[in-house]
């Protein structure tokens, strides 16, 4: 049969030997010594198969259940100070892989293995050589969260199993392991879920002025910011009898409604109504009322918005989106505003920021939270939405705005 032999720690040192299956492990070691350049004598050689030390040199290869071209790892036996070879064998045989203390003692007596570990974990080896078990455990836990969890489970298993706190801790660790496993499956089978999705914008014209409109089928009505309405010269058409407050996840002040406006898309004209909001970061948002009225289809396969059977217009790439909607830039204007703010106002804002942070702690930057709360949303709503959008302030604000829109009641 053929046996593939690799020297431990040397991926390039691989040897394939042709040997009869009725020969012993001692014969195999002699062949390896003669045919390889490993530089290990037969009587100093240790062989490992499937991670286990082959201890009985009198066993034949057939008794070891070798198959053709199976891999055997070869390394120099490390003498253990103060222990005879029989004692070394006994220690390895009784080694409990779940006992970190035994692992620590075994590594201390194996210089060759320490040399291999030093390449990747010099701090771990230093702790072993100093005999610092506590530092050894800290390094192990830092490098392997899974081992830390397993060690914690072993520790908890030795405590009172009926203690509610112990049961809760075990439940948390097992649950976290399930979450980690689920994430690993996602990374392997659906890595695209960890990417960012560019929002859907189209180019259009209102009263001859170019506007980048956000397409949002989750919004109930089509809206426009006051600044955009002024720029397009249609503020004079706002019916302020339809002013009010848009309520939902947050609140926004509605200045009024433009009952009929022409929207130009790809040189075709479509009628729509607009609700004008006072403080709205987006110029325009095409809501469900507009999309239903003109039987629009969001064709994500072709990356186009199809309006009835009349026209198709492509969604804009990220490079053509408004600055606040790009994934690569989150509201740079907020930073400029803070820099140019007078000293007194800046000091007051710092105090207000500290007070707010005390009331509700958050892992997200205060600038991102303030960017959302100044649009009428509460701090708690801002933090919750930032969690859902992985800290993207613009996406969080857009999402909250889309959820908050509702048809205003007409004043009597």
């Amino acid at each position: 049969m053929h046996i593939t032999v690799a020297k431990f720690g040397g991926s390039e040192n691989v040897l394939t030997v042709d040997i009869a299956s009725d020969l012993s492990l001692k014969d195999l070691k002699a062949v390896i010594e003669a045919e390889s350049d490993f530089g290990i004598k037969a009587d100093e050689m240790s062989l490992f198969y499937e991670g286990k030390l082959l201890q009985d040199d009198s066993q034949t290869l057939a008794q070891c259940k070798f198959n053709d071209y199976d891999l055997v790892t070869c390394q120099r036996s490390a003498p253990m100070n103060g222990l005879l070879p029989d004692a070394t064998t006994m220690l390895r045989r009784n080694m409990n892989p779940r006992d970190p203390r035994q692992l620590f003692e075994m590594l201390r007596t194996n210089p060759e293995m320490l040399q291999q570990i030093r390449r990747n974990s010099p701090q771990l080896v230093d702790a072993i050589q100093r005999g610092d078990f506590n530092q050894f455990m800290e390094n192990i836990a830092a490098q392997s969260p899974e081992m830390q969890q397993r060690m914690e489970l072993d520790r908890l298993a030795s405590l009172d199993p009926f203690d509610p706190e112990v049961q809760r801790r075990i439940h948390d660790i097992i649950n976290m392991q399930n979450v980690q496993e689920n994430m690993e499956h996602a990374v392997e089978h659906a890595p695209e879920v960890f990417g960012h999705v560019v929002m859907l914008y189209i180019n259009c014209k209102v009263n001859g002025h170019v506007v980048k409109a956000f397409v949002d089928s989750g919004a109930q009505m089509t809206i426009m910011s006051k600044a955009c309405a002024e720029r397009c010269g249609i503020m004079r058409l706002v019916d302020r009898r339809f002013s009010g407050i848009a309520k939902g996840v947050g609140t926004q002040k509605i200045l009024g409604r433009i009952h009929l406006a022409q929207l130009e898309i790809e040189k075709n004209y479509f009628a729509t109504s607009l609700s004008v909001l006072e403080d709205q970061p987006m110029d325009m948002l095409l809501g469900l009322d507009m999309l239903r009225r003109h039987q629009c289809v969001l064709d994500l396969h072709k990356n186009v918005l199809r309006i009835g059977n009349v026209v198709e217009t492509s969604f804009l790439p990220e490079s053509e989106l408004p600055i606040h909607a790009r994934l690569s830039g989150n509201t740079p204007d907020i930073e400029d505003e803070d820099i140019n703010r007078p000293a007194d106002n800046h000091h007051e804002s710092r105090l207000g920021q500290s007070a707010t942070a005390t009331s509700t702690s958050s892992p997200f930057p205060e600038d991102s939270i303030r960017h959302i709360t100044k649009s009428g949303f509460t701090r708690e709503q801002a933090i919750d939405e930032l969690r859902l959008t992985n800290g993207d302030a613009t996406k969080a604000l857009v999402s909250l705005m889309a959820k908050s829109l509702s048809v205003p009641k007409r004043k009597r």
Side-chain angles (χ1 to χ4, degrees):
M1 65 163 49
H2 298 84
I3 300 294
T4 302
V5 184
K7 183 180 179 182
F8 181 77
S11 58
E12 297 180 358
N13 295 334
V14 178
L15 170 70
T16 301
V17 298
D18 187 0
I19 187 171
S21 60
D22 58 349
L23 293 180
S24 66
L25 288 175
K26 185 176 181 180
D27 297 327
L28 176 59
K29 290 181 179 181
V31 172
I32 295 173
E33 179 187 0
E35 297 188 7
S36 73
D37 57 356
F38 296 165
I40 304 175
K41 295 182 179 180
D43 56 354
E44 299 176 353
M45 189 180 301
S46 293
L47 298 180
F48 293 84
Y49 176 59
E50 294 183 344
K52 298 179 181 179
L53 174 66
L54 302 176
Q55 302 174 8
D56 189 355
D57 284 352
S58 63
Q59 276 189 314
T60 65
L61 304 185
Q63 290 173 334
C64 293
K65 299 182 180 179
F66 285 161
N67 296 315
D68 205 22
Y69 288 102
D70 271 355
L71 176 65
V72 173
T73 305
C74 165
Q75 75 175 67
R76 189 187 306 276
S77 301
M80 300 184 69
N81 297 332
L83 291 177
L84 297 174
D86 290 342
T88 303
T89 302
M90 185 62 67
L91 175 60
R92 287 175 174 167
R93 183 178 300 169
N94 296 330
M95 176 70 184
N96 180 4
R98 284 178 167 267
D99 187 344
R101 174 64 71 175
Q102 286 192 17
L103 175 63
F104 179 74
E105 295 299 336
M106 188 195 77
L107 291 175
R108 289 184 66 185
T109 58
N110 195 328
E112 187 168 342
M113 187 173 293
L114 286 179
Q115 191 64 26
Q116 297 294 333
I117 297 175
R118 184 179 289 279
R119 297 177 182 176
N120 297 321
S121 305
Q123 295 178 348
L124 182 65
V125 175
D126 291 342
I128 295 172
Q129 292 178 335
R130 291 197 309 269
D132 189 344
F133 180 72
N134 293 331
Q135 185 64 37
F136 168 76
M137 293 301 298
E138 289 179 9
N139 281 276
I140 287 290
Q143 295 180 21
S144 176
E146 294 81 3
M147 181 175 292
Q148 182 181 22
Q149 290 178 351
R150 186 167 64 248
M151 290 165 55
E152 178 68 5
L153 281 175
D154 290 342
R155 185 187 70 82
L156 294 172
S158 64
L159 302 178
D160 182 6
F162 298 103
D163 186 343
E165 182 61 25
V166 172
Q167 293 179 354
R168 184 195 64 79
R169 180 60 183 151
I170 292 176
H171 173 272
D172 291 343
I173 293 176
I174 294 176
N175 186 66
M176 191 60 208
Q177 289 176 344
N178 292 335
V179 170
Q180 181 65 25
E181 183 180 357
N182 180 262
M183 180 178 176
E184 291 172 357
H185 281 297
V187 171
E188 181 178 358
H189 301 292
E192 66 276 4
V193 302
F194 294 95
H196 293 287
V197 178
V198 177
M199 291 187 285
L200 304 178
Y201 276 80
I202 63 169
N203 277 325
C204 62
K205 289 185 179 180
V206 177
N207 200 26
H209 294 266
V210 176
V211 176
K212 296 183 187 296
F214 175 48
V215 181
D216 186 3
S217 61
Q220 189 174 6
M221 59 188 179
T222 299
I223 63 174
M224 178 177 282
S225 68
K226 177 184 177 182
C228 183
E230 291 174 343
R231 190 168 67 249
C232 295
I234 57 176
M235 275 298 291
R236 57 188 173 80
L237 300 176
V238 174
D239 186 346
R240 297 187 180 272
R241 295 174 298 176
F242 285 79
S243 63
I245 300 295
K247 294 183 178 180
V249 179
T251 59
Q252 274 282 327
K253 184 177 180 180
I254 300 175
L255 298 178
R257 177 184 175 120
I258 298 175
H259 300 296
L260 191 64
Q262 272 195 341
L263 189 65
E264 181 183 349
I265 301 176
E266 301 291 344
K267 298 183 179 180
N268 290 269
Y269 294 88
F270 304 92
T272 186
S273 61
L274 301 169
S275 292
V276 180
L277 272 64
E278 183 176 39
D279 188 11
Q280 166 63 26
M282 293 174 293
D283 284 344
M284 187 174 183
L285 183 149
L286 301 182
L288 191 58
D289 57 344
M290 161 73 181
L291 300 177
R292 275 191 176 277
R293 179 177 183 180
H294 297 288
Q295 300 179 2
C296 298
V297 176
L298 279 70
D299 190 339
L300 300 181
H301 179 69
K302 293 183 177 180
N303 199 40
V304 298
L305 174 67
R306 188 161 54 252
I307 307 175
N309 295 320
V310 180
V311 65
E312 287 185 357
T313 184
S314 298
F315 292 118
L316 299 180
E318 183 182 358
S319 59
E320 298 181 20
L321 297 184
I323 294 177
H324 65 80
R326 297 177 187 173
L327 299 177
S328 55
N330 274 349
T331 58
D333 54 315
I334 300 299
E335 296 179 3
D336 296 339
E337 181 181 345
D338 287 343
I339 293 173
N340 297 326
R341 187 177 297 163
D344 292 341
N345 291 343
H346 186 69
H347 177 66
E348 292 175 4
S349 71
R350 289 291 184 187
L351 293 177
Q353 175 179 331
S354 300
T356 306
T358 303
S359 61
T360 306
S361 60
S362 166
F364 305 106
E366 286 299 322
D367 285 346
S368 299
I369 298 175
R370 190 163 57 249
H371 176 55
I372 298 174
T373 55
K374 78 172 187 177
S375 296
F377 300 102
T378 67
R379 179 180 177 83
E380 290 74 16
Q381 292 168 345
I383 293 173
D384 290 342
E385 202 65 31
L386 283 169
R387 287 196 183 98
L388 297 176
T389 58
N390 295 324
D392 191 319
T394 301
K395 291 175 68 176
L397 179 58
V398 170
S399 177
L400 286 172
M401 287 295 304
K403 296 175 183 177
S404 68
L405 297 177
S406 61
V407 177
K409 294 183 179 179
R410 180 173 179 176
K411 287 186 176 180
R412 294 185 179 180

